[in-house]
């Protein structure tokens, strides 16, 4: 008799154990790089952070020299963003830096689908696949043939990444520097919410004419040496919701459906009651 009475308690205990196991399997490991010892120091290879130039990139290229008039031929004319007409600088001493200090803006070079730009004086140049430093060095060598000690600066003007999913501020981020990592992007997006799955971040990138995807694990220090730690222009980062968020979403959807059904039944009952009352009065 005692054995039979204890059976419900055994079943209840078993149910509790199963429930706890289910809950623990849905937990998200919140700390980044959880495998790094908390009291140890160390170093890792930083890796290459320079992005290759790609078709459709906008390149901002400026050339300066001790003789500004000699370098002027290698710069695109500045333009007024409030006007449809390009405006050439009239002063012989005007340089790209002094132009940028006014309301004028510098034009960019658009990399065509075959990876070329049409550069003043030098003509068509293939730039796709090069880094900004490599292009800068090549242009410096070519321009040095006619300009003494030229200073060439190259920057990717349309360096943008998008961060979406379980972050506090999903957004498109305009990047103004070459060295930009996935941690920088997540920080600029307000970091992950507590519902973000840290072990399975999705990175979508255009590579060799194809759209590739890669998975990143913020819980692992392997991310710090990953070839995808540093971002490239037009990268998309998606933080997927963890199991708790998905379970809450299903629960809310289920409740919304039940509320909708109940509301429909109440409305139908009200209409039916009104009809019955009208018939009785007649």
């Amino acid at each position: 008799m005692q054995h039979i009475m204890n059976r419900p308690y055994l079943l209840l205990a078993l149910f509790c154990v199963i429930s706890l196991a289910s809950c623990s399997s849905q937990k998200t490991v919140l700390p980044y790089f959880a495998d790094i010892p908390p009291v140890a120091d160390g170093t890792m290879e930083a890796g290459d952070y320079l992005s290759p130039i790609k078709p459709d990139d906008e390149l901002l290229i400026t050339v300066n020299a001790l003789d500004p008039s000699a370098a002027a031929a290698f710069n695109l004319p500045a333009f007024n963003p409030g006007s449809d007409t390009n405006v050439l600088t009239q002063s012989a001493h005007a340089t790209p830096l002094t132009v940028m200090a006014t309301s004028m803006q510098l034009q960019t070079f658009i990399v065509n689908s075959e990876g070329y730009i049409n550069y003043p004086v030098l003509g068509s140049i293939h730039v796709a696949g090069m880094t900004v430093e490599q292009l800068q060095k090549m242009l410096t060598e070519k321009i040095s043939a006619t300009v003494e000690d030229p200073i060439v600066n190259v920057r990717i003007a349309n360096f943008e990444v998008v961060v979406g999913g379980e972050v506090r501020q999903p957004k498109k981020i305009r990047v103004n520097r070459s060295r930009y990592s996935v941690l920088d992007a997540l920080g600029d997006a307000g970091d992950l919410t507590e519902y973000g799955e840290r072990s399975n971040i999705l990175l979508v990138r255009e590579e060799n004419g194809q759209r590739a995807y890669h998975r990143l694990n913020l819980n692992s220090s392997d991310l710090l040496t990953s070839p995808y730690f540093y971002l490239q222009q037009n990268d998309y980062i998606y933080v997927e919701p963890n199991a708790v968020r998905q379970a809450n979403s299903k629960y809310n959807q289920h409740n919304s459906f039940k509320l909708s059904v109940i509301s429909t039944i109440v409305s139908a009952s009200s209409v039916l009651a009104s009809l019955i009352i009208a018939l009785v009065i007649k």
Side-chain angles (χ1 to χ4, degrees), residues 174-225:
R174 192 70 178 260
V175 181
N176 57 8
R177 60 187 187 274
S178 299
R179 190 186 185 100
Y180 194 76
S181 72
V182 62
L183 297 181
D184 293 321
L186 293 175
D188 287 340
D191 208 356
L192 278 68
T193 70
E194 60 272 26
Y195 297 109
E197 182 51 66
R198 285 142 173 80
S199 63
N200 197 26
I201 307 296
L202 176 65
L203 170 66
V204 180
R205 171 177 297 175
E206 292 184 6
E207 296 177 324
N208 302 320
Q210 295 182 328
R211 189 165 287 110
Y213 58 89
H214 309 278
R215 298 286 180 174
L216 306 176
N217 183 3
L218 294 178
N219 294 142
S220 172
S221 60
D222 290 341
L223 173 66
L224 299 175
T225 56

Side-chain angles (χ1 to χ4, degrees), residues 156-172:
I156 299 176
N158 65 325
F159 196 150
E160 296 178 337
V161 299
V162 176
V163 183
E166 284 294 337
V167 292
R168 302 188 189 283
Q169 301 171 27
K171 63 171 67 174
K172 176 185 288 187

Side-chain angles (χ1 to χ4, degrees), residues 228-245:
Y228 305 103
F229 177 71
Y230 290 108
L231 300 182
Q232 299 181 10
Q233 60 273 33
N234 303 318
D235 278 354
Y236 176 76
I237 300 171
Y238 175 71
V239 180
E240 68 177 34
N242 60 18
V244 174
R245 170 68 87 183

Side-chain angles (χ1 to χ4, degrees), residues 62-82:
T62 60
V63 181
N64 290 280
L66 293 176
D67 182 3
S69 60
F74 295 93
N75 290 295
L76 289 177
F79 74 102
N80 187 338

